[in-house]
Amino acid sequence: MRFFDLHCDTVSTQVARSGGKVRLNSNQGHLDLKRLQKSGSLAQVFAAFLPTYDAASEVGITAKPQELFDQIYTCYQKELRTNKELLAPALSGRDILKNDKAGHISAILSIEDCVLLDGDLHKIAALYKKGVRVMTLTWNYENSLGYPASPIPADMERGLKPFGKAAVQKMQELGILVDVSHLSDGGFYDVAELSREAHIPFAATHSCARSLCQHPRNLTDDMLRIIGETGSVCGINFNAYFLNGLSSNYTKIDDIVQCARYIRDKAGIDALALGSDFDGIDSTLEFGDCAGLPRLADALAMYFPSEEVEKICWKNALRVFTEAAK
Ligand SMILES: [Zn+2]
């Protein structure tokens, strides 16, 4: 089986934060290139995680968002150069197919939290030029685009700010996949409307189903239905807290399979993808790490025909990335 994982934090939280000590090729985290290769990886999205000002100090980050992006970007480029026999950058769906033919796993660069845009549309084009092809609009804090998912209903209903709407349109125009994971419900509906108008799909790169697990980071049945209707995808997050609630921090393979079956029922098979959140979550995974992804595919095959397992593991994500990123 091949895999297209829509979200991991490895470059940000492992490699860049270690000051170069931890390397992408081989490390002790959830994901490295040796294990990715063994698992059959087709494409991996690497997030440049840029916490909002208030949140940065909580995780020991003193650099401003733009500086932090530059640090992570330098580190990402260095890893691409060092590992060019295994990994190649992908800026479009066509690049992924080309890289695969050459025997390379595709690396896709995303930013998680658009805080560094700071209300400036020109910065989107600058990031696009650097190869960013996925943008997660917010993390867990307000920024110039909008508001995060929240347990407070009035906060959750807040939509995108005017700059947020203009930014989404700019991303769609340039060819950047818009990511609604972490966004408020009101923001989700604004992105969905812009997506319908532009006929361009979007993604919730690392989220699960709220009816199965009451967490504001998860998507309601109505939001899942809209993801299906717009030809978009939801990448299932492997965080136990988003799958089975707050009772344990252990992710069973069956939790992910159940979530996939639920999303299939609400949104349709074409809406399913994987968004591991490797090295961004601290859950213990039944299948260990990225090398265990084939075990997940085997478990999915108990409930889904093989062509649908392929859709979940890579084909849907490739379709949406091909349509949205260029
Ligand atoms: Zn995240």
Side-chain angles (χ1 to χ4, degrees), residues 7 112 139 182 206 217 277:
H7 188 88
E112 182 169 31
W139 189 54
H182 290 277
H206 56 305
R217 275 279 284 104
D277 216 350

Side-chain angles (χ1 to χ4, degrees), residues 7 9 47 49 112 136 138-140 179 181-182 205-206 217 237 242 277 280-281:
H7 188 88
D9 285 325
F49 171 53
E112 182 169 31
T136 308
T138 62
W139 189 54
N140 295 336
D179 179 14
S181 283
H182 290 277
T205 63
H206 56 305
R217 275 279 284 104
N237 193 314
F242 300 162
D277 216 350
I281 56 175

Side-chain angles (χ1 to χ4, degrees), residues 56-91:
S57 58
E58 283 174 27
V59 283
I61 293 167
T62 51
K64 295 213 168 70
Q66 182 66 52
E67 271 173 63
L68 184 60
F69 174 80
D70 293 341
Q71 286 169 14
I72 295 169
Y73 183 75
T74 302
C75 175
Y76 176 74
Q77 290 300 329
K78 185 177 165 195
E79 291 294 347
L80 282 174
R81 279 195 307 276
T82 314
N83 297 293
K84 59 177 186 287
E85 73 291 349
L86 275 178
L87 192 67
L91 307 179

